[in-house]
Amino acid sequence: MGKKRIGILTAGGDCPGLNATIRGVAKAMYQKIPDVEIIGIVDGYKGLIEGEAHEMKPSDFSGILTQGGTILGTARTPYKQMRVKENDIDKVALMKDNYKKLRLDCLLTLGGNGTHKTANLLSEEGLNVIGLPKTIDNDIWGTDVTFGFHTAVDIGTEVVDRIHTTASSHKRVMVIEIMGNKAGWLTLYTGIAGGADIILIPEIPYNINKVAKAVEKRAERGRGFSILVVAEGAFDVDEAKMKKKERAEKRAAAGETTATNRIARQIAEMTGFDTRVVVPGHYLRGGTPSSYDRVLASQFGVYAAQLVSQGIFGVAVAERNNIVVHNLLSDVAGKTKFVSPDDQMVFTARSLGISFGD
Ligand code: F6P
C-alpha cells in the first residue's frame, strides 16, 4: 500500500472519547502503514475552510486516551450555512481546495448529526470521507450507540444520586435539566440509572397536571421528595401543537429558554412543595471518558483505520448489536435517531413506576 495522508477533524460540540478515537485511528494506522501522515485539522470544518492544519507525530497521540475534550479543537460550523456564501466566501470550494492543497487521500470527521451532514456533502463533492459518531445525545441514525453518551450517562447519574440525598433531607422536588435538545436518550438513561421519579423527554410531550399528580401521589405514599429529570428540549402537550419557531418565540416572550424553570414553578404552585432547579449543563460533556467509552472509541477508531486501508469511503462508522459496522453517509445524513415512545427502555422505565407525565 502506498503512502497515505489522512486528514482528521472534530466538529460540533465536544464530548469525552474524541481523543480516544483519534488515538485509535492513529495507532491502527501506524501499524498498517508506518510512514502514514496524519494531518490534524484545527477546530473542525472551520479549520478546513481556513486551511488551518498541521502534520502530527506519533507522540501527539500518546497519553490522550483518558483526556477529555479534543486535542484538535472544535467549533460549530452549521451545515445550513455551508452552501451560503458569506463575504463572497464559498466554504465548500475552500474545503475542497484545502483538501487538495493538504494532499489528503481521505478525511475523517468526528462529530454528530450536523458533522455527518457536512461529511456527506463533501463526499458528494468527490472527497473521500469517513464519519465517526460522537455525541452525548446518542441521536445519530444507524448506530445503537455513539461515543460520549455513556460517559454523560455516568456523570448525569452521579448528579441525580447527589441530588437524591439533599432532596430527601429537605423533602423537596428537584427538577434536573439534562442536555438533549431533540432526543431524550441521555435523560431517559440517566433517569433510569439514577432512579428518578419522573422523566420528561421531547419525544413524549408532558401534561403538567399529570406531572403534578405524580408528585402528589408520591407524597400520599409517604415520599416527601421527588426527582424529575427533564431533557432541555422537553415540551408540553400544548407546545407540541406548535412549530419549533413559534414555541421558541412564546418561550422567549415568557423569559424562558428551556421548559425546566417553568415546570419547577408550576409544580411549586400546583403542589405547594418546595422546588429547586439543577442544571449540570456542559458538566455532562467534560472530563475523562468512562471505560465503556474508551473501549467504544478505540473500536471505532481502529475500524475507521481499516476502512481507510481498504479504500472504503462515503461511509459512517456505527455499532449494531455489539458489532462495529458502517452505513452509507448518504443514509445517515439528515436523520435523527429519536426515542420511540414504544422503545423497550421507555417500557422499562414505566414498569419501574417512572412517570413520563403523559
Ligand atoms: O450535541 C450535544 C449537546 O450537548 C446538546 O445536547 C446541547 O443542546 C448542545 O450540545 C449544546 O451545546 P453548545 O452549548 O456547545 O452549543
Side-chain angles (χ1 to χ4, degrees), residues 12-14 76 134-137 179-181 186 232 282 285:
D14 71 343
R76 290 198 184 276
K134 155 253 68 158
T135 169
I136 64 165
D137 296 340
M179 274 192 170
N181 237 324
L186 183 55
E232 63 177 332
H282 294 80
R285 244 167 58 180

Side-chain angles (χ1 to χ4, degrees), residues 45 79 83 92 107 109 112-131 313-316 327-335:
Y45 292 115
Y79 168 75
R83 291 215 184 262
V92 177
L107 173 69
T109 63
N113 280 323
T115 304
H116 278 68
K117 280 196 267 186
T118 300
N120 183 50
L121 180 160
L122 293 176
S123 167
E124 284 173 354
E125 290 286 331
L127 309 192
N128 292 330
V129 189
I130 297 171
F313 302 113
V315 295
N327 297 305
L328 289 177
L329 269 173
S330 54
D331 283 341
V332 176
K335 294 183 194 146

Side-chain angles (χ1 to χ4, degrees), residues 279-353:
V279 185
H282 294 80
Y283 184 81
L284 296 165
R285 244 167 58 180
T288 190
S290 63
S291 50
Y292 180 97
D293 272 331
R294 293 178 199 182
V295 173
L296 183 69
S298 301
Q299 277 184 294
F300 281 175
V302 167
Y303 189 88
Q306 219 170 327
L307 291 172
V308 171
S309 64
Q310 291 167 353
I312 300 173
F313 302 113
V315 295
V317 176
E319 188 192 276
R320 271 201 306 274
N321 303 324
N322 285 321
I323 307 282
V324 183
V325 294
H326 57 272
N327 297 305
L328 289 177
L329 269 173
S330 54
D331 283 341
V332 176
K335 294 183 194 146
T336 302
K337 184 184 74 179
F338 291 109
V339 176
S340 160
D342 303 324
D343 193 279
Q344 196 177 34
M345 210 51 90
V346 174
F347 171 77
T348 301
R350 289 196 197 277
S351 304
L352 293 168

Side-chain angles (χ1 to χ4, degrees), residues 8 92-93 148 212 250 270 302:
I8 186 160
V92 177
K250 269 202 108 181
M270 294 166 89
V302 167

Side-chain angles (χ1 to χ4, degrees), residues 152-172:
V153 173
D154 289 349
I155 301 168
T157 303
E158 191 191 324
V159 171
V160 177
D161 287 350
R162 288 185 181 275
I163 293 302
H164 241 115
T165 62
T166 169
S168 143
S169 312
H170 287 270
K171 298 172 192 59
R172 280 175 174 154

